[in-house]
Amino acid sequence: MSVVVFALVQLVPGDPIRLALGTRFDQETYDALLARSGLDQPLVQQYLTWAGRAVTGDLGVSFRSGETVTSLIAERLPATLTLALASILVALLIAVPLGTISALRPRSLVDRVATVLSQIGISVPEFWMAIVLILVFAGTLGWLPSGGYVGLTEDPAGWAQRLLLPAVVTGVVSGSVITRFVRSSVLEALGADHVRTAQAKGLPRRQVFTWHVLRNALLPLVTVTGVQLAYLLSGVVVVEIVFSWPGLGQLALQAVQARDYPVLQGAILLFAVTFLVINLVVDLLYTAIDPRIRR
Amino acid sequence: MTAPLLEVEDLRVRLRTPRGPAAVVNGLSYTVGRGETVAVVGESGSGKSVSVLALLGLLPERVATVTGSARLDGEDLLTMSPERLRQVRGPGVGMVFQDPMTSLNPVLTVGRQLVEGIRAHGEVSKAAARERAAGLLAEVGLPDPQGALDRYPHELSGGMRQRVVIAIALANSPALLIADEATTALDVTVQAQILDLVESLQADHGTGVIWITHDLGVVAGIADRVLVMYGGRCVEDGTVDDVLERPAHPYTRGLLGALPDLAGDGGDLATIPGTPPAPTDLPGGCVFWPRCPVRGDARCETEQPPLQVVGAGLSKGLPHRAATWCTEGSAR
Ligand SMILES: Nc1ncnc2c1ncn2[C@@H]1O[C@H](COP(=O)(O)OP(=O)(O)O)[C@@H](O)[C@H]1O
Ligand code: SF4
Ligand SMILES: [Mg+2]
């Protein structure tokens, strides 16, 4: 995997040193910098050096700022984690009730409205939604700040206020995707034969629904939530930019623009690891909820 | 004479299907007495399952229209409140479903699925309910009942699952037990064991039983009366002796392999040439006429024959009835 990460980054066109020097270009400085960054070494050599350090947690030093990549990432991580978790919360708060109600009354007015809304949620560009929300809630109504980030411990109220709009934007998008999954999996669970057995036992309606429908619809929900969370954790670039949210997405974008290879490699490696970790967690959860997978 | 345990009158079920409305049950009337076993036979698609699911309100509400009445101890199942119906499901009527592979919830343990049924009908501690659950599993012949409580359905064979489903149906000592091809998946020994269990239950509690089956051996062994269904109707009913020995309806005779041109073989119902009619497209006149080898009356293709007393009429005080215009040849 680290090979892929490394190779991908090498594919980014452009010369980082030239970019770093900008207009103050002179050959001597260029050569000096090139030697210091190790970019004059053969690629394989570069990779081995990088990978060797990466396993010890040393991801190198940013070409642009000179800070260590690890510290740059650590700086951005809280903002990204906050936004991702808040978004997934918003998404689930929308998707679970809406998808369930739709499944309970398929083709009803609620279902049709939910279908249209989730279609809109999936297809409307995030930046557009973000700008509209900023115009309304930060501009016209003036209830919320238009962007930025403060730590939870520094200013809890400010933290929540700044978090709300970006979390709603990304949450609505993820929520729209999840709503459809919830609808179809609840619908499928409702039609299962064992639901009839549960009813025939004389269980109260709610118990039938909770333990013989929702409980079974949980399996696909866990999977799709994991996928969405992985996506959110890899930084939602557009939303981060519109809301000046100092997350990993922004960091990665800046690194691309500056051809800041070490930062870019570090960020991508982190995304890949995140993805693997989430997959692992989803698998573990799956084993916990579905006895058929246990061994 | 006391009123029967279950009294079904003019039960009709319409289902909305993609291919249009389906008349799946068309005016079914029958009774089940206390301690009595009524076997229901008929080819696949005759409406046997649907007719019993309708009794307990277990058909999908959005597609099914059920009319008529079905009084259990005088109380109409089809019009009672949802909460009352919930109370009746279990202690009033226990139901065993056709497919053991899908009738249990795959993500809950067997014990849990039994215990929740027991606890839905009375203040029973978890421990006591578990105790009872293990007892029920032992009664249906599951080896290691205590261990089975913590098993998941996929860890059990089809036959064992079916026994769990039967145990669930028996969990609240139902006044009426409905078994829809309950023993089809079981081998003969276990089947005999289940039939014995049901018979002892009937002796102890006066349980009435509706037993849907393809197996004439089971019918002869367990049933007091037989109801033959075709096209959502009862085409013949009577005591086991009357129906099996003196079938009056050409369809019944076909099933028993009793018609001269049909070869019968031992246990299972014989196959009749042709296919049953689709409930979306029932023939006018007698429902059986397109396949009937007799068709000996001018009204066969135009008028539905009513269910009427045939042959000697009564044996053991119970009527023998058939819905056909031609009953000649029934007293073989
Ligand atoms: N949920 C349903 N929706 C549409 N048609 C159904 C449904 N359930 C059963 N049917 C139809 O009703 C008819 C009777 O089915 P069923 O009662 O299962 O027959 P049996 O149990 O006698 O084999 C069949 O033609 C079947 O296709
Ligand atoms: S009424 Fe006619 S068609 Fe129908 S079963 Fe009797 S003889 Fe056959
Ligand atoms: Mg059936």
Side-chain angles (χ1 to χ4, degrees):
Chain A
M1 182 186 81
S2 59
V3 181
V4 178
V5 170
F6 188 83
L8 273 177
V9 171
Q10 296 301 327
L11 287 177
V12 178
D15 182 337
I17 312 273
R18 203 174 276 272
L19 270 167
L21 288 173
T23 47
R24 298 161 293 139
F25 182 84
D26 75 78
Q27 192 62 41
E28 222 163 284
T29 329
Y30 182 87
D31 292 341
L33 279 175
L34 194 65
R36 205 185 74 189
S37 64
L39 286 173
D40 55 345
Q41 308 275 320
L43 271 183
V44 177
Q45 180 67 47
Q46 282 185 45
Y47 167 72
L48 289 176
T49 314
W50 176 73
R53 288 188 187 143
V55 288
T56 67
D58 175 6
L59 292 170
V61 172
S62 164
F63 289 163
R64 208 168 65 129
S65 67
E67 288 175 75
T68 64
V69 174
T70 320
S71 71
L72 279 173
I73 286 178
E75 213 170 86
R76 302 298 184 106
L77 207 53
T80 286
L81 276 177
T82 305
L83 181 55
L85 293 178
S87 304
I88 214 73
L89 189 70
V90 171
L92 289 176
L93 283 177
I94 296 173
V96 173
L98 201 59
T100 307
I101 294 170
S102 291
L104 283 177
R105 312 204 186 299
R107 316 179 72 92
S108 67
L109 188 66
V110 189
D111 183 31
R112 281 163 211 261
V113 169
T115 307
V116 172
L117 283 183
S118 61
Q119 189 57 53
I120 292 174
I122 291 169
S123 42
V124 161
E126 288 176 353
F127 77 87
W128 188 84
M129 205 189 309
I131 288 167
V132 169
L133 286 184
I134 290 175
L135 287 178
V136 174
F137 290 97
T140 316
L141 296 172
W143 291 350
L144 296 166
S146 66
Y149 170 81
V150 292
L152 171 61
T153 44
E154 296 159 44
D155 174 7
W159 172 84
Q161 284 176 345
R162 284 173 179 77
L163 178 58
L164 192 60
L165 290 184
V168 164
V169 173
T170 46
V172 162
V173 177
S174 291
S176 300
V177 178
I178 302 177
T179 301
R180 307 203 144 187
F181 265 84
V182 171
R183 181 185 184 273
S184 64
S185 48
V186 169
L187 209 52
E188 197 189 318
L190 272 173
D193 278 355
H194 70 253
V195 175
R196 220 172 42 193
T197 313
Q199 287 175 308
K201 281 189 264 194
L203 299 187
R205 243 184 142 80
R206 178 175 302 175
Q207 199 177 342
V208 173
F209 190 66
T210 313
W211 289 102
H212 296 271
V213 178
L214 283 188
R215 176 68 175 72
N216 296 65
L218 202 59
L219 306 164
L221 176 63
V222 166
T223 315
V224 69
T225 304
V227 171
Q228 290 298 318
L229 191 60
Y231 157 74
L232 290 167
L233 278 174
S234 62
V236 270
V237 181
V238 174
V239 172
E240 285 183 6
I241 289 170
V242 177
F243 287 102
S244 325
W245 193 263
L248 290 169
Q250 274 205 32
L251 183 71
L253 184 71
Q254 287 160 4
V256 172
Q257 285 163 345
R259 308 292 182 277
D260 196 344
Y261 289 174
V263 174
L264 192 52
Q265 281 163 355
I268 295 178
L269 186 69
L270 182 72
F271 299 156
V273 169
T274 305
F275 196 80
L276 289 184
V277 169
I278 285 179
N279 257 317
L280 184 73
V281 172
V282 166
D283 280 352
L284 288 175
L285 273 175
Y286 234 94
T287 326
I289 18 190
D290 193 341
R292 284 166 296 184
I293 296 170
R294 268 172 238 159
R295 255 307 314 167
Chain B
M1 204 179 125
T2 53
L5 175 63
L6 176 74
E7 213 169 351
V8 177
E9 253 178 53
D10 198 29
L11 181 71
R12 288 170 193 273
V13 181
R14 295 269 169 295
L15 295 177
R16 265 198 297 143
T17 72
R19 271 164 289 117
V24 178
V25 179
N26 302 293
L28 193 61
S29 304
Y30 62 94
T31 60
V32 181
R34 272 161 243 280
E36 187 181 37
T37 301
V38 176
V40 179
V41 299
E43 290 166 297
S44 283
S46 339
K48 306 182 297 293
S49 297
V50 168
S51 71
V52 291
L53 289 172
L55 298 182
L56 276 190
L58 293 174
L59 292 168
E61 276 166 42
R62 292 158 12 82
V63 300
T65 318
V66 180
T67 58
S69 70
R71 286 182 300 278
L72 182 78
D73 263 331
E75 231 183 324
D76 188 4
L77 296 167
L78 304 185
T79 53
M80 63 178 46
S81 72
E83 173 55 18
R84 180 70 192 128
L85 184 60
R86 182 193 75 72
Q87 292 166 359
V88 168
R89 291 167 173 172
V93 185
M95 195 173 293
V96 182
F97 296 93
Q98 202 170 334
D99 189 349
M101 301 317 266
T102 55
S103 298
L104 293 171
N105 189 338
V107 301
L108 302 179
T109 61
V110 164
R112 199 199 144 111
Q113 296 187 58
L114 269 160
V115 164
E116 66 180 359
I118 295 167
R119 284 166 50 97
H121 300 285
E123 293 292 318
V124 188
S125 74
K126 267 203 179 118
R130 244 181 101 86
E131 203 51 48
R132 190 142 118 219
L136 284 159
L137 291 180
E139 279 187 68
V140 295
L142 218 68
D144 184 21
Q146 203 69 43
L149 290 179
D150 297 317
R151 298 287 199 80
Y152 288 92
H154 74 277
E155 298 173 302
L156 305 176
S157 70
M160 294 219 236
R161 284 190 225 186
Q162 186 61 301
R163 279 177 269 177
V164 173
V165 179
I166 295 171
I168 289 175
L170 296 178
N172 289 290
S173 316
L176 176 70
L177 175 70
I178 301 176
D180 190 351
E181 296 181 27
T183 52
T184 311
L186 303 178
D187 66 51
V188 186
T189 335
V190 180
Q191 187 170 314
Q193 193 180 355
I194 301 282
L195 296 182
D196 281 351
L197 175 64
V198 170
E199 280 182 338
S200 74
L201 207 75
Q202 288 184 292
D204 296 352
H205 303 278
T207 309
V209 175
I210 299 175
W211 201 274
I212 300 176
T213 180
H214 279 137
D215 188 331
L216 291 173
V218 173
V219 175
I222 192 180
D224 301 303
R225 287 192 297 125
V226 185
L227 190 153
V228 183
M229 273 189 82
Y230 185 75
R233 287 190 164 82
C234 169
V235 293
E236 176 159 7
D237 71 350
T239 59
V240 174
D241 284 352
D242 277 341
V243 176
L244 297 189
E245 303 296 330
R246 294 171 286 280
H249 196 283
Y251 176 65
T252 314
R253 281 185 263 152
L255 287 181
L256 299 177
L259 283 182
D261 54 335
L262 292 166
D265 55 7
D268 263 18
L269 296 174
T271 7
I272 303 173
T275 49
T280 43
D281 191 21
L282 290 177
C286 167
V287 267
F288 188 54
W289 79 258
R291 299 168 73 193
C292 182
V294 179
R295 243 188 274 178
D297 195 284
R299 291 165 294 180
C300 286
E301 298 176 25
T302 53
E303 209 179 319
Q304 173 64 42
L307 198 59
Q308 48 193 338
V309 172
V310 293
L314 292 176
S315 67
K316 299 180 204 156
L318 297 166
H320 180 196
R321 304 180 298 173
T324 173
W325 296 120
C326 310
T327 52
E328 300 83 49
S330 60
R332 284 179 294 147

